[in-house]
Amino acid sequence: MIISSYIFETLWNNVLDTTILEFVAVVFGLLSVWYAKQEKILVYPTGIISVLIYVYICFGIKLYADAGINLFYFMMSVYGWYKWSKKGEDPQISITKSTKNDWLISVVMFIVSAVIIAVLLKLFKKDDIEYWSTSVPYIDTFTTAIFIVGMWLMAFKKLENWIFWIIGDVISVPLYAYKGLVFTSFQFLVFLIIAVAGYIAWRNKILESPSNSGERN
């Protein structure tokens, strides 16, 4: 009873401390994941609004590495928006499973992203002894690299993009709770639920449509 009361009080305090700008970013972030599940192109404009707000917020609180990551999310969102809406000789892409080549690119992208993120975190937080005395920076690096690969695969409508989102969300829920950001932790819990539903929905579309069952390079 005491524990549940503490959790509720902490969550409520986090809600009260949330700015209007952060609230808008969270709402559009949730909308973006929901539209992704529905295979709606609105996943990208809503996601762009969310990440641009987070770029501004992160710069304001001097989290430059996080701002840079959100800027990368913005660029990937623009590219994904273009890929999903492309018409003409190259028809709109369909949901497919990842090929061996896709997995190879994903692994390389994960490793490269993790190295770059680790260097940036070390550069901008090199004097934060307390920060580097914990496992948090390494978990941050892992989850961010996971999300980057997820965005890449989503741009090509690869079913496995949801697996990367699910892994990242599972880790992010306790991570942000540990940081004291209970409201953000709850947001990632919602992301996790939608990601699982998204994987099931996309998998069913592949099973139901013969044209989507083949693998694309």
Side-chain angles (χ1 to χ4, degrees):
M1 185 68 178
I2 296 177
I3 296 178
S4 61
S5 176
Y6 170 77
I7 293 176
F8 176 79
E9 182 179 352
T10 304
L11 176 60
W12 181 245
N13 288 335
N14 273 267
V15 171
L16 293 178
D17 291 338
T18 301
T19 64
I20 296 297
L21 203 58
E22 183 182 356
F23 178 77
V24 172
V26 169
V27 169
F28 276 93
L30 291 172
L31 282 174
S32 179
V33 178
W34 175 256
Y35 284 131
K37 170 187 174 296
Q38 302 294 325
E39 199 190 351
K40 301 292 186 182
I41 200 169
L42 285 173
V43 56
Y44 289 113
T46 51
I48 286 174
I49 293 174
S50 179
V51 297
L52 285 181
I53 292 176
Y54 273 118
V55 168
Y56 175 80
I57 291 175
C58 290
F59 264 110
I61 58 179
K62 299 181 179 181
L63 290 177
Y64 301 119
D66 290 342
I69 292 302
N70 277 286
L71 190 59
F72 174 83
Y73 289 162
F74 164 73
M75 292 186 292
M76 281 301 303
S77 294
V78 172
Y79 179 71
W81 194 351
Y82 163 75
K83 289 292 294 184
W84 280 38
S85 60
K86 193 174 181 181
K87 299 178 181 179
E89 294 182 0
D90 184 14
Q92 290 178 301
I93 55 178
S94 302
I95 299 173
T96 57
K97 292 183 178 180
S98 295
T99 63
K100 290 182 179 180
N101 188 52
D102 294 326
W103 279 110
L104 178 60
I105 293 175
S106 297
V107 170
V108 172
M109 180 175 290
F110 172 79
I111 294 174
V112 173
S113 298
V115 171
I116 293 175
I117 294 165
V119 170
L120 288 174
L121 287 177
K122 197 73 175 179
L123 176 64
F124 290 110
K125 297 191 176 184
K126 60 183 178 181
D127 297 324
D128 194 340
I129 305 300
E130 182 180 354
Y131 179 79
W132 284 101
S133 66
T134 69
S135 61
V136 171
Y138 308 105
I139 299 176
D140 277 344
T141 298
F142 180 82
T143 54
T144 303
I146 282 287
F147 288 142
I148 286 175
V149 176
M151 287 204 69
W152 172 260
L153 291 175
M154 178 175 286
F156 293 91
K157 288 192 178 180
K158 296 297 180 179
L159 172 66
E160 291 76 13
N161 86 88
W162 291 111
I163 295 177
F164 285 89
W165 291 115
I166 290 171
I167 294 173
D169 291 338
V170 166
I171 298 173
S172 295
V173 171
L175 174 63
Y176 282 96
Y178 169 77
K179 289 181 177 180
L181 301 175
V182 180
F183 185 70
T184 302
S185 176
F186 176 76
Q187 176 189 226
F188 274 98
L189 178 60
V190 177
F191 283 163
L192 173 60
I193 295 172
I194 298 176
V196 172
Y199 177 83
I200 295 173
W202 281 33
R203 184 190 61 182
N204 289 339
K205 286 189 176 183
I206 290 178
L207 295 175
E208 293 170 1
S209 177
S211 62
N212 284 339
S213 60
E215 293 183 344
R216 295 167 58 124
N217 292 320

